[in-house]
């Protein structure tokens, strides 16, 4: 069986590598792969899984918001790079900022998904949410690790400006505004503001929609952590930064995001 190397340079079988991925990222990555392949190869019609609020509300097809979040668009090189993009940033957030807490990381995805659904209902139609969700995750990562540097084409961009650089490049290459990307970034920033910025204003405690409910912890068999996420981020950032520095280039194609990443063995 072919082997791969993890971020430390240790050799892993493909099976070991797959199960070394934290479980929320692994589930999302697997679902995105299967749903996109099934639709792209014609096994499942796109019309049955796209987000269509008229069918959700009138015909009670309530699975559509979830299935739309697993779709990454048509098959091609963009799809392969999408998977790398999803793996890198999602894994880094889940193992770094959220310290492997499946309950807290899943709740963040649920909240961002709620923002995306709300935007698609009242602002602009978004039949596919997969890319929006990835852009949101990438933006949250860039806020958490603003001093990291990511290569975009031949330019090294500080992570703090990564979202805007990618939106600008995609808009220029496509010749039109990258609306899904913009909605994704705004949704990710809204979560970051409510979770990290607002609680620091006037002594507010983190609560409300971004606070992981107790039933979510019970669902994953976890206990709430007493340490705030902001403090955990400060503690784990040096280790996370050493992992995330492996992220290299993100090359973008016309009309769709085309990301790439390659490992640098330490």
């Amino acid at each position: 069986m072919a082997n791969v190397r993890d971020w430390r340079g240790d050799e892993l079988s493909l099976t070991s590598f797959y199960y070394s991925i934290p479980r929320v990222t692994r589930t999302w990555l697997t679902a995105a792969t299967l749903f996109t392949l099934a639709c792209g190869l014609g096994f499942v019609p796109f019309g049955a899984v796209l987000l269509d609020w008229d069918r959700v509300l009138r015909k009670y097809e309530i699975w559509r918001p979830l299935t739309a979040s697993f779709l990454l668009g048509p098959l091609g090189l963009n799809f392969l790079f999408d998977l790398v993009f999803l793996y890198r940033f999602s894994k880094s957030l889940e193992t770094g900022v959220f310290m492997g807490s499946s309950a807290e990381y899943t709740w963040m995805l649920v909240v961002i998904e709620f923002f995306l659904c709300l935007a698609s209902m009242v602002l602009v139609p978004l039949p596919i949410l997969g890319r929006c969700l990835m852009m949101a995750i990438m933006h949250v990562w860039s806020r958490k690790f603003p001093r990291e540097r990511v290569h975009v084409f031949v330019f090294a961009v500080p992570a703090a400006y990564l979202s805007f650089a990618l939106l600008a490049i995609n808009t220029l290459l496509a010749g039109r505004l990258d609306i899904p990307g913009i909605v994704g970034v705004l949704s990710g920033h809204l979560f970051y503001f409510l979770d990290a910025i607002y609680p620091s204003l006037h002594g507010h405690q983190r609560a409300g929609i971004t606070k992981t409910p107790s039933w979510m912890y019970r669902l994953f068999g976890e206990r709430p952590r007493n340490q705030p996420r902001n403090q955990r981020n400060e503690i784990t950032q040096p280790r996370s930064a050493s992992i995330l520095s492996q992220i290299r280039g993100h090359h973008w194609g016309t009309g769709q995001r085309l990301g790439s990443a390659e490992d640098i063995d330490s």
Side-chain angles (χ1 to χ4, degrees):
M1 179 180 293
N3 293 336
V4 295
R5 292 183 181 275
D6 65 6
W7 63 272
R8 294 180 299 269
D10 299 331
E11 193 173 83
L12 297 173
S13 68
L14 288 177
T15 301
S16 299
F17 172 75
Y18 176 76
Y19 285 104
S20 71
I21 302 172
R23 59 176 172 174
V24 178
T25 298
R26 183 173 69 241
T27 301
W28 184 11
L29 188 68
T30 302
T33 301
L34 294 178
F35 267 85
T36 306
L37 283 176
C39 291
L41 296 176
F43 294 110
V44 176
F46 271 103
V49 293
L50 295 177
L51 181 55
D52 183 338
W53 284 110
D54 184 66
R55 299 186 71 87
V56 171
L57 299 176
R58 294 178 181 274
K59 298 190 176 181
Y60 307 106
E61 297 179 359
I62 58 175
W63 64 83
R64 288 181 178 271
L66 181 62
T67 56
S69 68
F70 292 144
L71 287 177
L72 299 176
L75 298 180
L77 284 179
N78 288 345
F79 167 60
L80 297 179
F81 288 127
D82 283 347
L83 295 179
V84 175
F85 187 89
L86 186 159
Y87 164 77
R88 287 296 178 191
F89 290 105
S90 179
K91 179 186 176 183
S92 297
L93 275 180
E94 186 174 357
T95 58
V97 175
F98 293 88
M99 296 181 65
S101 174
S102 299
E104 293 185 11
Y105 188 57
T106 299
W107 186 248
M108 184 193 74
L109 295 178
V110 169
V111 173
I112 293 178
E113 177 81 0
F114 170 76
F115 293 154
L116 292 175
C117 287
L118 189 62
S120 70
M121 183 182 294
V122 301
L123 295 178
V124 57
L126 295 170
I128 295 178
L129 297 180
R131 179 168 178 265
C132 301
L133 189 56
M134 283 196 302
M135 289 293 289
I137 295 303
M138 179 272 295
H139 184 76
V140 173
W141 174 86
S142 72
R143 299 297 95 188
K144 294 292 186 179
F145 302 101
R147 291 187 294 274
E148 287 294 315
R149 299 185 71 83
V150 181
H151 284 77
V152 181
F153 291 110
V154 296
F155 303 102
V157 179
Y161 304 105
L162 177 62
S163 308
F164 311 106
L166 296 182
L167 289 176
I169 291 172
N170 224 31
T171 296
L172 289 174
L173 293 177
R176 59 180 181 275
L177 282 177
D178 181 12
I179 299 299
I182 292 173
V183 173
V185 168
L186 290 177
S187 298
H189 193 76
L190 179 57
F191 177 89
Y192 175 74
F193 174 82
L194 294 175
D195 187 66
I197 298 178
Y198 180 76
S200 66
L201 302 176
H202 311 296
H204 289 291
Q205 297 295 318
R206 183 174 64 86
I209 192 171
T210 67
K211 184 177 181 179
T212 308
S214 58
W215 61 264
M216 182 65 77
Y217 288 107
R218 291 195 297 270
L219 180 64
F220 285 95
E222 298 176 357
R223 293 182 178 180
R225 302 173 188 267
N226 295 325
Q227 187 181 24
R229 270 204 291 271
N230 287 341
Q231 294 180 17
R232 276 187 261 152
N233 184 38
E234 293 173 2
I235 294 174
T236 59
Q237 186 165 339
R239 178 178 179 275
S240 299
S242 67
I243 300 173
L244 295 172
S245 63
Q246 299 173 57
I247 301 174
R248 299 298 294 172
H250 293 277
H251 306 285
W252 295 67
T254 302
Q256 269 210 327
R257 178 180 44 71
L258 186 61
S260 67
E262 59 186 23
D263 290 335
I264 298 178
D265 293 334
S266 55

